[in-house]
Amino acid sequence: MNLSDFLHSPYFAGLIGGLLIGLAAAMFVLLNGRIAGISGILSGLIQADGGDKLWRILFVLGMAASPFIYQLASDLPAATIDAGTVQLIIAGLMVGLGTSYASGCTSGHGVCGISRGSVRSIAATLSFMLAGFITVYLTRHLLGL
Amino acid sequence: MLNVNAFLVGLIFGLGLIVSGMTNPAKVIGFLDLAGDWDPSLAFVMGGAISIGAGAFTIAKKRQRSLLGEPMRLSNVTEIDKSLLAGSLVFGIGWGLSGFCPGPAVVSAAAGQTKAMIFVVSMLAGMVLYKVIQQQNNR
């Protein structure tokens, strides 16, 4: 692959997107002193006791605005969701419960935790990646879902 | 300022997820599909993010307060316990079943995708369920 091919490949898109995610995480920890972990920010929002909610709401609003800002420059990339409704409901419950027990997801453990050199986050990331690999293997290659 | 930055961080984070391809569940599953037609491009997402994150967190760890004077709220939990590992495994299964993790699901739901909305509602229900279970256990 030469440079021009790379610049037009999904690898380059992944790298640029990753740099943006890293920039966001850096801005959040250096300015707000906080971890940009999406599951933690969401679960703090649905907590019954008050306080500490405004920045979480604004963070989520920022995320929610991103597809509309992106559309100012270009059409949104295609997205394909193969899972059916029941599968999505089960998956959503598992992601909500699992990230709560693990105190983090792909962003909190995978990006911020590993950036911080946390062995705990590395263990979490290896665990959810392993489970993801096995799940896709089972559903795609053994069960044919 | 803190709240403005929270909005900006959410926005940049969301743009990063869209640009990288993370908001396409079929692509995420292609990355998790080692035995199939494996698409390794999402490894570049994590690599790119950590390359910047590592520098920022190296600075953050040395500071008591953020540049805006906030306390540095970095986790000091180091224990690798059952809750961390079992929780991560359950999360990973849900991730593999759907192709969604929390951030991309929120962005896709906001963009108006019905299936992502279903996933997000269900994910929030899972988070509520966790809090209910914790309250029961603390009684």
Side-chain angles (χ1 to χ4, degrees):
Chain A
M1 186 187 283
N2 63 33
L3 183 63
S4 166
D5 288 344
F6 177 75
L7 292 179
H8 291 91
S9 72
Y11 302 99
F12 185 64
L15 181 66
I16 296 297
L19 291 173
L20 285 170
I21 293 167
L23 171 68
M27 284 167 64
F28 210 39
V29 73
L30 291 177
L31 293 170
N32 291 38
R34 287 188 183 274
I35 300 286
I38 310 305
S39 60
I41 291 171
L42 289 175
S43 96
L45 260 186
I46 53 178
Q47 202 119 359
D49 47 343
D52 208 26
K53 289 254 197 320
L54 183 60
W55 71 265
R56 292 177 195 271
I57 293 170
L58 287 165
F59 189 106
V60 174
L61 283 177
M63 288 193 91
S66 64
F68 302 99
I69 301 292
Y70 185 94
Q71 278 173 310
L72 298 178
S74 159
D75 285 341
L76 286 175
T80 310
I81 306 169
D82 291 324
T85 304
V86 175
Q87 199 173 330
L88 283 170
I89 291 173
I90 294 169
L93 279 172
M94 293 183 87
V95 171
L97 270 175
T99 55
S100 295
Y101 276 102
S103 310
C105 59
T106 348
S107 50
H109 283 309
V111 173
C112 295
I114 292 183
S115 291
R116 199 159 61 80
S118 157
V119 178
R120 185 177 141 85
S121 287
I122 294 169
T125 306
L126 290 176
S127 303
F128 66 67
M129 298 222 21
L130 178 72
F133 288 139
I134 293 173
T135 302
V136 171
Y137 181 74
L138 290 176
T139 53
R140 266 215 175 158
H141 299 286
L142 289 184
L143 301 172
L145 286 179
Chain B
M1 209 39 223
L2 290 169
N3 290 327
V4 174
N5 193 49
F7 180 84
L8 280 178
V9 168
L11 177 62
I12 297 170
F13 203 108
L15 289 173
L17 291 173
I18 298 169
V19 170
S20 65
M22 286 290 292
T23 49
N24 183 0
K27 188 174 172 66
V28 172
I29 289 176
F31 169 68
L32 292 174
D33 190 9
L34 293 178
D37 188 12
W38 188 47
D39 173 4
S41 62
L42 292 186
F44 282 71
V45 184
M46 199 170 249
I50 292 172
S51 69
I52 293 193
F57 278 92
T58 305
I59 298 168
K61 277 198 282 191
K62 291 183 188 149
R63 298 179 60 99
Q64 298 295 321
R65 298 210 158 250
S66 78
L67 297 173
L68 292 175
E70 288 291 295
M72 276 293 171
R73 293 183 184 85
L74 303 179
S75 167
N76 46 19
V77 183
T78 54
E79 197 187 350
I80 297 171
D81 52 12
K82 213 164 62 184
S83 170
L84 177 84
L85 297 177
S88 295
L89 289 172
V90 169
F91 162 41
I93 296 171
W95 191 33
L97 281 175
S98 60
F100 276 130
C101 56
V106 168
V107 172
S108 300
Q113 280 181 30
T114 314
K115 282 186 163 187
M117 293 179 198
I118 293 170
F119 178 90
V120 168
V121 170
S122 179
M123 173 176 75
L124 294 174
M127 291 176 175
V128 171
L129 184 59
Y130 168 81
K131 289 182 202 289
V132 172
I133 294 170
Q134 293 303 101
Q135 277 167 3
Q136 296 289 331
N137 290 345
N138 289 339
R139 267 187 199 151

